[in-house]
Amino acid sequence: MLRAAVYPLVAVAVLALAFLLLAGQKAALGALLSGVAVSAGGGVAARMALSGGAVAAGSAMARLIIAVVAKWAVVFGVLLAGFLAFKLPALALLAGIAVGLMFQVLALARR
């Protein structure tokens, strides 16, 4: 399960390095910030969804839905803070989210 956090972070670090070389520090910070938010949101969701032991199906489904909502709340909160408060480039913020999510799915799909 650790690779679900490590792979996206490495991919986002490479993306941030590319943005640093091509677009500057603010773009690199935006990509890094949003990519880390995806991994942090995934960690929050996993902890919420998988804690608590065995429960009834309805409770398990409710916990999964609440965990996914919490993950996206973290991601959108960081996206809004980066865009509105810190004035980071939108393209870099969205690219960090996209790369983080792609590599998170690829890490979970790999056997």
Side-chain angles (χ1 to χ4, degrees):
M1 214 49 191
L2 182 61
R3 73 173 176 249
V6 173
Y7 287 178
L9 289 177
V10 170
V12 166
V14 170
L15 177 70
L17 183 62
F19 270 115
L20 180 64
L21 295 174
L22 298 174
Q25 291 179 346
K26 287 187 90 167
L29 181 63
L32 190 63
L33 183 69
S34 61
V36 169
V38 168
S39 289
V44 166
R47 196 166 289 274
M48 287 178 72
L50 301 177
S51 65
V55 293
S59 298
M61 183 62 78
R63 216 167 33 193
L64 285 171
I65 292 170
I66 290 169
V68 169
V69 169
K71 173 184 179 170
W72 285 107
V74 168
V75 171
F76 283 128
V78 169
L79 181 66
L80 285 174
F83 187 67
L84 296 176
F86 299 114
K87 306 286 190 237
L88 297 173
L91 178 65
L93 288 166
L94 294 175
I97 290 172
V99 168
L101 287 173
M102 282 188 294
F103 277 87
Q104 192 175 48
V105 169
L106 288 174
L108 291 172
R110 186 169 178 237
R111 289 188 175 213

